[in-house]
Amino acid sequence: MTFLRTVLPVLAALTFPAIAQAQESSRPELLNRLTSCRTMGDQMARLSCYDAAVEALDAAEREGEVVVVDRNQVRESRQALFGFDLPSLPAFGRNAAAEEDISSLETTLSRASRGGDGKWVFRLTDGSVWRQVDSESVFFPNREGTEVRVRRASLGSFMMTVGSSRAIRVRRDQ
């Protein structure tokens, strides 16, 4: 796990240089060019500046150089990635730390099975896969559609409750 925490940020910076640069500067250059047009006193020059900056921003968005997401899309992405230990990326919002952190996931069970080590593997209807990491016995209704709640626990761990079972310690695999 320590290996992943060390390697993932480095790998992300090498693979996605735009993300590494975005972490260094507070705003993308295209956005800075657009907002700097406000300072122009001459109306025609300001309009010309806005037109050029908007055209450049629009072209970059169409070519995939810039991605525009709204707060709801950021929230949905954070929800979908709940349980993964990922580096902090600016794509999750400038004020991501200030936003309410997702503390639990509530969904339903798709299916559960025992792995080769005798521990449970849970496949949830949201597409996530969670694996039991403690050795405690747990009894739960192993039926599709059973309510499942995964919540953050201490020291970066997660606890899962299936139906009305007792909570077990889990980690996210997929």
Side-chain angles (χ1 to χ4, degrees), residues 33-171:
R33 284 181 23 205
L34 178 64
T35 58
S36 70
C37 294
R38 289 186 293 207
T39 62
M40 296 188 162
D42 180 41
Q43 289 182 349
M44 291 307 292
R46 187 169 54 245
L47 179 59
S48 193
C49 179
Y50 274 129
D51 286 345
V54 166
E55 179 56 37
L57 185 61
D58 185 46
E61 192 274 334
R62 278 184 274 137
E63 293 171 8
E65 296 295 320
V66 171
V67 177
V68 178
V69 295
D70 62 27
R71 186 177 307 269
N72 193 41
Q73 290 170 314
V74 170
R75 192 174 298 117
E76 288 173 1
S77 295
R78 291 176 61 141
Q79 183 77 26
L81 294 171
F82 178 77
F84 285 125
D85 188 21
L86 298 173
S88 175
L89 300 175
F92 289 105
R94 178 171 310 148
N95 297 324
E99 282 187 23
E100 183 178 319
D101 198 21
I102 298 171
S103 61
S104 67
L105 168 72
E106 294 183 16
T107 185
T108 57
L109 183 67
S110 179
R111 70 175 194 255
S113 58
R114 288 196 185 256
D117 58 0
K119 296 181 180 178
W120 287 100
V121 177
F122 302 91
R123 287 166 175 56
L124 307 181
T125 55
D126 67 356
S128 62
V129 177
W130 296 79
R131 183 175 303 275
Q132 180 182 10
V133 293
D134 62 17
S135 299
E136 300 296 319
S137 296
V138 62
F139 300 100
F140 60 92
N142 190 358
R143 290 187 303 271
E144 183 177 350
T146 302
E147 292 181 4
V148 174
R149 180 172 186 256
V150 182
R151 64 176 170 81
R152 287 190 189 278
S154 61
L155 302 173
S157 63
F158 296 88
M159 301 297 284
M160 175 184 282
T161 305
V162 181
S164 59
S165 72
R166 69 168 198 76
I168 59 169
R169 198 164 302 279
V170 292
R171 79 163 187 270

